[in-house]
Amino acid sequence: MSTHSTSARLKVILRWIGITLLFLFLAGFAVIFFMPSDWLRNMAGTTGSALLGRKFAIDGDIKIDWDWTTPEVSIRKLRIANIAKSKDPNMVAIDEIDFQIKIWKLLQAELNLPKLKFTKPKVILEKFSEAEKNWDFPALAGDETTSEDRKNLPVIGSVSIDDGKLAYRDLPKKLAVMLNLDTARGGVEAQKGMYKLSGQGTLQDQPFSLQAKGGSLSMLQNSTAPYPLTLDIKMGSTRIDVEGTIANPAKLAGMNTQLNLQGNNLADLFHLTQIPLPPTPPYQLSGHLQQRNEVWKFNKFKGKVGDSDLSGDLVYQTKSERNFVNANLVSQKLDMDDLAGFIGAAPSKGTMSPEQKAQAEREKSSPRLLPDVPIDLTRLRATDMEVHLKGKQIIGTKWPLNDLDIGFNLQKGVLHLDPLDFGVADGTIGGSLILDGQKDVPQIQSDLMLKRLSLKPFFTDPKFESLSAGYFGGQLKVKGNGRSLAEVLATSDGRITLMMTGGKISLLIIEAAGLDLGQATPLLLGKDKSTDIRCVIGDFKVDNGLLNSEIFVFDTTDSNIDGYAHINLKDETIDAKVETHPKDISIGSARTPITVTGRLKQPTIGLDPKQLAARAAGAVVLGAFLTPVAAIIPFIELGLGKDSDCRGLIEQARSHSGTNPPIEEPKQEQPKTRPKKP
């Protein structure tokens, strides 16, 4: 049924009602007064049911207070049936409707109501799927009103609502809101002809309120001018202010407004938008909101999230089978603490909500280090996204982070972080991360490469001046299953390789690590010296949450250090030991191993006097690690470059051991492919 045919049909019905009422009036008061009430109810029920394609009934009395031009009508117990799938029998149930109607306007097919009052109306709106909503009436299918159709809307002088209730349920999105509605009376708005509506209730078990204010009701018929609209929505700590115009009030379409958002947590907006945003500190954002044909645009917005600034553009499409968000976000100064919610942690300092402060206190008192906040799979599967976040300057962290560039591509519950690039200490950390949330137990796999990170920015304290040079790099390739970061790491498998070359380290530290009293004593009394670092290698295999070192070598011009490390990510404990082997002959050298044991959050560092190592040449120590070290040469070259001293160290170890294992060349990095937009 087209818009034109539906509109014409309504005009015919209105004109028929007007002629009928006028005939009854001219026929004489006797006919009017003695006309059976059942006849009016049956006529209204038959006509309404035919128009809506659903049961329409008036179960109470119909009273008419006749006037020459504007009779007053009172209708009790009006209802419109719900669809069979609903648990509520009626979609609309109204205790009483009182209105005035101008009969002569009905002859012109115009519904003119100088006064309209609803007493205890109850309206239930339900969405069972994109194709099944209880407010869709088959008989009116195809009735798509436009702004030009506003001139066909009823002309209403004033509207009032007493003790109204509005329920909205979206079953696919598991949303539910119940509002108590009343219209405002008196005040400045009434004097200016403004219309005001208020409601209070709950949304997803959170307090919810709505204040709506628009132009006069007569402005609804002016199709040449947009209708002014102001909305103030509160849900818990979240506040949404909208001020602007709407082109088609009847369809709530064609919005052109200023939107202001503020609250304690951006993730709370999911209840209203279905956009799966991460937990954040308190925020405040403002921008231009436009809506047309089920496409929402939040353009040129800017504001703050925690202690970070944020600006950008966002497009939200709701017309396809799956909602889709596309956004470009930029932060000139990004506080890394504000991203803690991505891994389920609370910020350690700065701006925090009351909930985050409570979480931070729990984390502080907990013996565990890894975040254990579960991933919300319902949110992850709700909406597809393609978001690009660029942080131009990183602040608020002890790590020397320069910038970041992250792409979030979410499709049907599978999240790809690609690119995932950090500028760190004049080098880069880059790679990809995939979170597969299609299964009940998500799987996360990461592949990160650390390339030529400078040591100097990590040691800015003057007492670490000897560590002001050199580079390090490596690769982290790990995957695991679980609902939180702690669970994923507790089941993880993979490999972690870290390397360092160049720079200097305090000779006092090296000698003291071996308790070499013969050389450490004079250094304690004089100026500390330093020794060149040739190579540091740590290669760790991860098997079902257990991290074990296969290589742990620290080589300087003065000493060789080797050891082992065992880390249990299930119970978050560590058992590690390192031992120094001086390359020169030193009288009084005890070389007692240094141990690190206990929980990851607060490990204990001590000495192991029970195990004194026998003196061994540096080449023998290196030779023992020859085979596994040679196997990771490709990663050394990717992380440190081909000019690294680590390769020379391995060649030296090979010549001392008399073996010659093959050395694999680094594999070429494959071009990255990204999922296509829906």
Side-chain angles (χ1 to χ4, degrees), residues 496 540-549 565-569:
I496 300 175
F540 304 88
K541 182 180 180 181
V542 186
D543 185 7
N544 194 27
L546 302 178
L547 188 150
N548 296 298
S549 61
H566 304 308
I567 299 177
N568 188 330
L569 296 174

Side-chain angles (χ1 to χ4, degrees), residues 18 37 59 112 121 146 149 152 159 181 189 195 214 239 278 283 311 393 416 423 446 530 606 635:
S37 179
D59 299 324
N112 191 305
T146 64
D149 296 313
N152 295 324
V159 175
L181 301 178
E189 288 83 5
Y195 180 73
R239 179 164 181 171
Y283 66 92
S311 61
Q393 181 182 354
H416 292 254
S446 63
S530 61
F635 302 119

Side-chain angles (χ1 to χ4, degrees), residues 552-554 560-564 577-581 621 625:
F552 196 16
V553 179
F554 195 126
N560 283 320
I561 298 176
D562 70 290
Y564 67 83
K577 180 163 58 177
V578 294
E579 184 178 348
T580 301
H581 301 267
V621 175
F625 294 103

Side-chain angles (χ1 to χ4, degrees), residues 153-301:
L153 293 173
V155 178
I156 302 174
S158 65
V159 175
S160 63
I161 300 174
D162 286 343
D163 194 16
K165 294 187 182 299
L166 172 64
Y168 175 74
R169 305 175 189 134
D170 189 326
L171 274 66
K173 297 177 180 178
K174 298 182 180 179
L175 293 178
V177 61
M178 173 66 77
L179 291 177
N180 300 315
L181 301 178
D182 290 284
T183 50
R185 294 183 176 83
V188 177
E189 288 83 5
Q191 295 175 10
K192 293 182 179 180
M194 301 292 286
Y195 180 73
K196 190 174 182 181
L197 179 71
S198 64
Q200 297 82 35
T202 59
L203 174 60
Q204 300 298 93
D205 299 323
Q206 295 193 52
F208 183 89
S209 67
L210 169 70
Q211 301 282 339
K213 184 168 63 176
S216 63
L217 294 174
S218 61
M219 294 179 65
L220 288 172
Q221 288 194 308
N222 185 358
S223 59
T224 61
Y227 183 73
L229 178 67
T230 300
L231 293 174
D232 183 1
I233 299 173
K234 295 179 182 178
M235 182 189 67
S237 66
T238 304
R239 179 164 181 171
I240 302 173
D241 296 319
V242 178
E243 184 172 2
T245 61
I246 182 168
N248 189 353
K251 301 288 289 185
L252 290 178
M255 296 186 71
N256 186 9
T257 64
Q258 177 71 18
L259 172 63
N260 300 316
L261 299 169
Q262 67 179 62
N264 285 342
N265 187 353
L266 273 171
D268 290 340
L269 291 175
F270 178 82
H271 301 309
L272 295 171
T273 65
Q274 293 295 288
I275 299 176
L277 299 170
T280 69
Y283 66 92
Q284 187 169 0
L285 300 171
S286 299
H288 185 212
L289 178 67
Q290 290 180 300
Q291 178 264 332
R292 186 176 181 181
N293 297 330
E294 297 182 325
V295 176
W296 298 77
K297 294 182 179 180
F298 189 29
N299 292 329
K300 296 181 179 179
F301 68 83

Side-chain angles (χ1 to χ4, degrees), residues 402-420:
N402 304 321
D403 52 42
L404 64 81
D405 188 358
I406 305 178
F408 301 87
N409 190 292
L410 177 61
Q411 302 240 356
K412 297 182 179 179
V414 179
L415 174 64
H416 292 254
L417 268 59
D418 187 6
L420 179 57

